[in-house]
C-alpha cells in the first residue's frame, strides 16, 4: 500500500503544474508585487469562498479563495486561502472523477511550508491532507495523520476522523475510544460521532444500531445522503435487516453517486440476494448471469454469492438444474478460505436431504465449523438463514431409524468426525449406541448430563457390565420423553420392576421403543405368573403373542398361556391359543394341539 501511495504522490507532483496554471488563471500569484494588500477585501472573498465550498460550488470557491489570497498573500486570510484552495481542488477533482487531481492537491498542500516559513495553520494543512487520503482510500495513512493531529491538539474531531479511517477498513480495534468523545460538544462536527459509530456497528454486525446511528448522522449533515461510503453501509444494513424497500432505494441512489464504481460489485451481490429473498427470480437470474459473465466464478464476491444459492430451492430448480453437482466443484476455488463455508453447508444439506454422501473428499478436507457471518471486503454474508435451512433438514433425521441411523454413521466416517463440529454430537451418539457402533462411542463424552450417563450406562450393559444399571438409575429422574421410557424399559427388564415396565408401556410407542415391547410384555407375564396372578399374566402373555414373531420362544409362551388358561378354566384364551397352534408345524404347537385341541 505504501509503495502505491509513494508512486501516486510522485505522480501528484507531476500534475501540480495543473493547479498552478489554474490558480494563475484565476488571479493567484506567488509574487508579492502583483496586488496591494487589502485585508477586508480578502476577508470578504474568503468568507464567500467558504460558503461556496460548503454548498459544493467548487469552481466559484476556487475563484473566491484565489482572490482572497491575492489580496492578502502574507496575511491570515491569504494564508488560509492557500490551504482552502488545496482542499477545494481536492474535492472538485474527486467529485469529477479525477483522482490524479487529488494527488496533485496533496503535493500542493505539502508545499505550504515552502511558501510560509512561519506557518500558522499546520494542523489545518495536515487535516486537509488527511481528508485527501480518506478520499483516495488510503485509510492507514489517514489514520496515522489524524492520530498525530489528535495527540498534538487533543481535538476530538481529529480522533473521530482517525476512527473513521479505521472503521472504513472494516476494523473495530479502537471502538472504545469513542467513549472519550461527547458529541454534544462538537457543534456542527457532531455528525462525525454518529457516522463513525454507525460504521463500527456495521463492522461488528449490529445492523439495527448501524441504521440508528447513520440516521442521526444524516439528520445533522444532509450531504451524507450523497456520500457513497455512507450510502453503501446504509443500504447493506437495510438488506441485512430485511428492509428490502429501503435497501433497494439506497442502492439505487448509490448507483448514481458512486462515480468510481467502488461499491458496484458489492451492490450487485446484495441486490441479487434481495431479489432471491423476495422471490423476484427473473431479476435475480439476470443479475447472477451477468456477474458470472463479467467476473466469472473465480471472483470471490461472485463465488460467495453462488455458494449461497442452495438456500433458494425454487430458483435452483428452475434456473440451475446442475447446481448441486457444480457446488462440489466450485467449492475448491476457495478451499483455504472461510468463503467456502456456505458451499460446505450446501453440500451437507444435499447429503442429508438425500441420505447420501455427496463427496467424502470434501467432508474430509474442509473443516466443518459454525460461523454466523463471513466478511469479504465490504460484504457481510449473513449465514444464519443457511444454518436454519440446514438444521431444519437435519432435524428430520431419526437416529433410531435403520436408514437414517446408517446414514449418520456413514457421515461420521466420511468426515472423519468433522461433521460433529457443525451438527453436534447427539444424533451421532444416539445412532452409535442404538446400533452398537463402537466407532461412535467416543462422542458420548461430548454430551451433557443426563444423556452422558444414560448412554454410557447402555454401552456398559452391551459390554456385559451391570454397573451401567447404576448410571441409568442415577439419571432416570432427569430424563425426558422417549429417553425416560427407554430407561424404564431397560431398568424394568434388568431389575424385573413391574412399575417401570407398566409406565414404559403406557401410550403408543415410537419405532425406537417398539423393540422393547415384546420382551417387556413377556417379563410382566412372568412376574404375574410368579405371583400366581394368573388373570393378569394371561393378559400380558397374550399381548406378547400378538406382537412377537413366531419362533421357539413364541411357542413356549403360547404353551404357558394355554396351561394357565386351562387351570383357570379360561376357555376363550385356551381356544385362541389352540387355533394359533393349528397354523404351525412347530413341535410345541403340535403338543398344544394334542393336549388341548
Amino acid at each position: 500500500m505504501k509503495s502505491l501511495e509513494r508512486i501516486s504522490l510522485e505522480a501528484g507532483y507531476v500534475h501540480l503544474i495543473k493547479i498552478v496554471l489554474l490558480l494563475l488563471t484565476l488571479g493567484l500569484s506567488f509574487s508579492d508585487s502583483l496586488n496591494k494588500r487589502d485585508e477586508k477585501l480578502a476577508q470578504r472573498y474568503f468568507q464567500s469562498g467558504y460558503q461556496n465550498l460548503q454548498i459544493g460550488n467548487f469552481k466559484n470557491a476556487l475563484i473566491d479563495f484565489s482572490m482572497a489570497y491575492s489580496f492578502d498573500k502574507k496575511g491570515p486570510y491569504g494564508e488560509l486561502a492557500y490551504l482552502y484552495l488545496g482542499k477545494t481542488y481536492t474535492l472538485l477533482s474527486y467529485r469529477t472523477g479525477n483522482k490524479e487531481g487529488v494527488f496533485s492537491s496533496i503535493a500542493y498542500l505539502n508545499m505550504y511550508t515552502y511558501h510560509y516559513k512561519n506557518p500558522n495553520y499546520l494542523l489545518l494543512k495536515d487535516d486537509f491532507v488527511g481528508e485527501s487520503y480518506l478520499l483516495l482510500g488510503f485509510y492507514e495513512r489517514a489514520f496515522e495523520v489524524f492520530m498525530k493531529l489528535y495527540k498534538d491538539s487533543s481535538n476530538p474531531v481529529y480522533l473521530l476522523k482517525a476512527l473513521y479511517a479505521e472503521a472504513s477498513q472494516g476494523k473495530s480495534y479502537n471502538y472504545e475510544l469513542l467513549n472519550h468523545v461527547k458529541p454534544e460538544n462538537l457543534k456542527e462536527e457532531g455528525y462525525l460521532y454518529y457516522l463513525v459509530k454507525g460504521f463500527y456497528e456495521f463492522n461488528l454486525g449490529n445492523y439495527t444500531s448501524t441504521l440508528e446511528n447513520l440516521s442521526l448522522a444524516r439528520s445533522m449533515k444532509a450531504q451524507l445522503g450523497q456520500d457513497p461510503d455512507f450510502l453503501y453501509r446504509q443500504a447493506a444494513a437495510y438488506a441485512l435487516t430485511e428492509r428490502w424497500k429501503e435497501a433497494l432505494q439506497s442502492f439505487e441512489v448509490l448507483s448514481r453517486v458512486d462515480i468510481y464504481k467502488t461499491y458496484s460489485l458489492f451492490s450487485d451481490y446484495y441486490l441479487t440476494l434481495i431479489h432471491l429473498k423476495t422471490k423476484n427470480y427473473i431479476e435475480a437470474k439476470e443479475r447472477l448471469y451477468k456477474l458470472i459473465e463479467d467476473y466469472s466464478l473465480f471472483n470471490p464476491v461472485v463465488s460467495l454469492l453462488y455458494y449461497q444459492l442452495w438456500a433458494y430451492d425454487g430458483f435452483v430448480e428452475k434456473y440451475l438444474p446442475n447446481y448441486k453437482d457444480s457446488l462440489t466443484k466450485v467449492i475448491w476455488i476457495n478451499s483455504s478460505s472461510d468463503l467456502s463455508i456456505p458451499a460446505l453447508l450446501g453440500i451437507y444439506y444435499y447429503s442429508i436431504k438425500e441420505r447420501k454422501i455427496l463427496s467424502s473428499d470434501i467432508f474430509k478436507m474442509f473443516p466443518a465449523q459454525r460461523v454466523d457471518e463471513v466478511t469479504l471486503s465490504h460484504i457481510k454474508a449473513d449465514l444464519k438463514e443457511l444454518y436454519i435451512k440446514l438444521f431444519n433438514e437435519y432435524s428430520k433425521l431419526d437416529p433410531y431409524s435403520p436408514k437414517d441411523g446408517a446414514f449418520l454413521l456413514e457421515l461420521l466416517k466420511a468426515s472423519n468426525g468433522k461433521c460433529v463440529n457443525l451438527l453436534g454430537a447427539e444424533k451421532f451418539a444416539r445412532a452409535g449406541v442404538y446400533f452398537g457402533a463402537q466407532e461412535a462411542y467416543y462422542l458420548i463424552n461430548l454430551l451433557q448430563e443426563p444423556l452422558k450417563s444414560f448412554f454410557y450406562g447402555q454401552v456398559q450393559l452391551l459390554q456385559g457390565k451391570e454397573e451401567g444399571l447404576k448410571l441409568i438409575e442415577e439419571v432416570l429422574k432427569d430424563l425426558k420423553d422417549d429417553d425416560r421410557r427407554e430407561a424404564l424399559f431397560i431398568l424394568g427388564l434388568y431389575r424385573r420392576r413391574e412399575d417401570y415396565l407398566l409406565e414404559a408401556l403406557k401410550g403408543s410407542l415410537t419405532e425406537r421403543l417398539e423393540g422393547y415391547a415384546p420382551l417387556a410384555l413377556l417379563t410382566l407375564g412372568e412376574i404375574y405368573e410368579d405371583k400366581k396372578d394368573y388373570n393378569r399374566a394371561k393378559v400380558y402373555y397374550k399381548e406378547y403373542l400378538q406382537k412377537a414373531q413366531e419362533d421357539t420362544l413364541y411357542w413356549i409362551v403360547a404353551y404357558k398361556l394355554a396351561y394357565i388358561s386351562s387351570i383357570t378354566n379360561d376357555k376363550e384364551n385356551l381356544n385362541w391359543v389352540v387355533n394359533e397352534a393349528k397354523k404351525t408345524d412347530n413341535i410345541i404347537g403340535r403338543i398344544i394341539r394334542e393336549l388341548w385341541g
Side-chain angles (χ1 to χ4, degrees):
M1 175 63 79
K2 290 190 175 181
S3 61
L4 175 59
E5 292 176 16
R6 185 175 65 252
I7 294 169
S8 301
L9 288 171
E10 289 173 354
Y13 281 105
V14 173
H15 293 285
L16 177 60
I17 189 64
K18 295 181 180 180
I19 301 181
V20 177
L21 292 174
L22 172 64
L23 299 183
L24 286 172
T25 303
L26 297 174
L28 175 63
S29 169
F30 294 105
S31 168
D32 289 332
S33 60
L34 182 61
N35 294 298
K36 295 181 179 179
R37 185 180 180 194
D38 189 331
E39 186 172 333
K40 289 186 177 181
L41 191 58
Q43 180 183 12
R44 191 159 61 247
Y45 274 118
F46 179 81
Q47 290 172 342
S48 175
Y50 187 81
Q51 291 171 357
N52 280 318
L53 178 63
Q54 294 302 106
I55 63 175
N57 189 349
F58 301 126
K59 291 184 179 179
N60 285 342
L62 282 173
I63 294 172
D64 289 335
F65 287 137
S66 66
M67 294 301 293
Y69 178 84
S70 66
F71 282 112
D72 193 28
K73 287 186 286 292
K74 297 300 181 181
Y77 293 106
E79 189 174 352
L80 280 171
Y82 178 94
L83 295 175
Y84 273 92
L85 277 165
K87 176 174 181 174
T88 304
Y89 189 71
T90 293
L91 294 173
L92 176 64
S93 299
Y94 183 80
R95 299 287 174 82
T96 55
N98 176 23
K99 281 192 175 181
E100 288 182 348
V102 179
F103 288 113
S104 301
S105 296
I106 294 173
Y108 167 82
L109 289 167
N110 284 329
M111 291 179 66
Y112 169 61
T113 52
Y114 173 80
H115 294 290
Y116 293 90
K117 304 302 182 185
N118 297 302
N120 296 300
Y121 305 109
L122 270 176
L123 295 181
L124 186 63
K125 186 271 290 186
D126 289 339
D127 183 16
F128 290 171
V129 169
E131 290 184 344
S132 299
Y133 283 133
L134 287 177
L135 291 175
L136 293 170
F138 292 169
Y139 297 120
E140 292 183 6
R141 186 72 184 100
F143 179 82
E144 293 172 0
V145 170
F146 286 122
M147 282 304 288
K148 183 177 185 303
L149 283 169
Y150 175 61
K151 291 175 182 177
D152 292 344
S153 68
S154 298
N155 185 340
V157 172
Y158 293 139
L159 173 61
L160 287 174
K161 290 182 177 180
L163 298 181
Y164 176 85
E166 178 185 70
S168 294
Q169 301 175 71
K171 300 175 182 177
S172 305
Y173 301 135
N174 292 290
Y175 190 3
E176 292 185 359
L177 291 180
L178 276 179
N179 296 329
H180 297 283
V181 180
K182 295 182 178 180
E184 62 271 17
N185 297 335
L186 299 179
K187 298 180 181 179
E188 65 209 32
E189 301 290 344
Y191 79 93
L192 265 174
Y193 173 87
Y194 299 104
L195 181 65
V196 172
K197 189 172 182 180
F199 277 35
Y200 272 138
E201 291 294 304
F202 182 82
N203 297 342
L204 294 170
N206 303 323
Y207 303 117
T208 299
S209 179
T210 296
L211 293 169
E212 291 171 354
N213 283 282
L214 293 184
S215 177
L216 284 170
R218 186 174 180 180
S219 70
M220 301 171 71
K221 189 178 176 87
Q223 294 94 321
L224 287 173
Q226 300 295 310
D227 178 69
D229 302 317
F230 173 94
L231 283 169
Y232 175 75
R233 286 162 179 83
Q234 176 182 261
Y238 277 137
L240 290 163
T241 52
E242 299 186 354
R243 296 171 62 175
W244 310 129
K245 183 178 179 181
E246 294 98 326
L248 290 171
Q249 290 172 343
S250 295
F251 278 123
E252 173 61 28
V253 177
L254 175 62
S255 68
R256 295 198 300 268
V257 301
D258 186 15
I259 60 175
Y260 294 102
K261 304 300 180 186
T262 303
Y263 298 106
S264 177
L265 176 58
F266 308 133
S267 297
D268 283 338
Y269 165 89
Y270 279 116
L271 286 168
T272 305
L273 282 179
I274 290 172
H275 291 307
L276 285 168
K277 291 176 185 293
T278 56
K279 298 190 183 304
N280 185 2
Y281 289 157
I282 293 177
E283 182 66 27
K285 179 200 72 171
E286 291 176 358
R287 287 187 175 275
L288 175 66
Y289 284 10
K290 190 173 188 307
L291 283 170
I292 294 175
E293 180 181 350
D294 291 348
Y295 297 97
S296 88
L297 285 171
F298 286 92
N299 179 284
V301 174
V302 180
S303 59
L304 178 60
L305 174 62
Y306 191 80
Y307 291 164
Q308 300 175 65
L309 297 179
W310 61 268
Y312 307 95
D313 297 311
F315 179 80
V316 169
E317 290 171 7
K318 188 170 183 178
Y319 298 110
L320 298 170
N322 299 317
Y323 175 77
K324 180 179 67 176
D325 293 332
S326 70
L327 195 60
T328 61
K329 298 178 177 63
V330 298
I331 189 176
W332 296 99
I333 295 173
N334 296 290
S335 59
S336 60
S337 165
D338 282 354
L339 297 183
S340 63
I341 292 175
L344 183 63
L345 297 180
I347 294 169
Y348 268 102
Y349 170 79
Y350 285 124
S351 296
I352 292 169
K353 187 176 183 180
E354 298 177 3
R355 311 300 196 264
K356 176 184 176 183
I357 303 299
L358 224 59
S359 172
S360 57
D361 288 339
I362 289 174
F363 288 147
K364 283 184 172 69
M365 289 293 295
F366 286 78
Q369 54 187 318
R370 292 291 303 272
V371 178
D372 288 339
E373 189 176 80
V374 172
T375 299
L376 172 62
S377 186
H378 295 294
I379 283 178
K380 302 281 188 175
D382 188 348
L383 307 185
K384 295 185 186 69
E385 287 189 8
L386 303 187
Y387 284 112
I388 290 172
K389 188 174 182 69
L390 171 61
F391 279 97
N392 281 343
E393 195 64 37
Y394 181 63
S395 68
K396 299 174 185 177
L397 288 176
D398 179 2
Y400 299 99
S401 157
K403 181 178 179 182
D404 290 357
F407 169 74
L408 284 165
L409 296 173
E410 184 184 5
L411 181 58
L412 183 68
K413 180 180 179 181
S415 66
N416 285 340
K418 292 180 180 179
C419 57
V420 172
N421 298 328
L422 175 64
L423 301 169
E426 185 174 325
K427 280 184 184 286
F428 297 98
R430 287 182 181 276
V433 172
Y434 190 76
F435 293 103
Q438 297 184 22
E439 67 273 14
Y441 288 173
Y442 76 95
L443 296 173
I444 298 173
N445 199 44
L446 302 178
L447 303 179
Q448 300 296 315
E449 295 292 0
L451 290 182
K452 184 175 181 180
S453 292
F454 178 45
F455 290 152
Y456 266 135
Q458 292 183 64
V459 168
Q460 287 188 329
L461 291 175
L462 289 172
Q463 295 171 346
K465 301 174 183 177
E466 291 200 12
E467 293 91 335
L469 289 173
K470 184 177 179 180
L471 286 175
I472 297 174
E473 285 173 330
E474 288 174 351
V475 296
L476 176 63
K477 65 182 183 302
D478 299 318
L479 295 171
K480 307 294 183 184
D481 304 321
D482 274 6
D483 289 330
R484 175 176 172 79
R485 294 183 76 179
E486 185 175 26
L488 289 169
F489 274 126
I490 293 170
L491 294 172
L493 292 170
Y494 272 91
R495 302 294 195 197
R496 296 180 67 81
R497 288 281 299 265
E498 170 190 350
D499 54 340
Y500 283 178
L501 293 175
L502 289 173
E503 182 181 345
L505 285 167
K506 284 181 181 178
S508 60
L509 299 177
T510 60
E511 181 181 6
R512 164 189 178 183
L513 300 177
E514 283 178 348
Y516 288 101
L519 190 55
L521 293 168
L522 174 58
T523 303
L524 282 170
E526 291 173 342
I527 290 172
Y528 291 125
E529 184 182 2
D530 291 343
K531 292 179 177 181
K532 301 190 182 306
D533 188 347
Y534 296 130
N535 286 333
R536 296 183 75 178
K538 286 185 292 184
V539 170
Y540 290 103
Y541 280 150
K542 186 172 182 179
E543 283 191 37
Y544 166 80
L545 294 173
Q546 289 171 332
K547 287 182 177 293
Q549 294 181 345
E550 291 188 23
D551 55 14
T552 302
L553 179 60
Y554 176 93
W555 289 110
I556 291 174
V557 176
Y559 180 87
K560 283 174 170 280
L561 178 57
Y563 174 75
I564 294 173
S565 297
S566 69
I567 64 174
T568 57
N569 200 27
D570 183 353
K571 293 182 179 180
E572 181 181 348
N573 277 321
L574 182 58
N575 290 335
W576 182 85
V577 176
V578 170
N579 288 331
E580 290 298 308
K582 290 176 180 179
K583 302 174 186 178
T584 183
D585 290 329
N586 183 279
I587 187 171
I588 301 176
R590 293 200 302 270
I591 293 172
I592 292 172
R593 292 200 304 269
E594 289 293 329
L595 292 174
W596 296 290

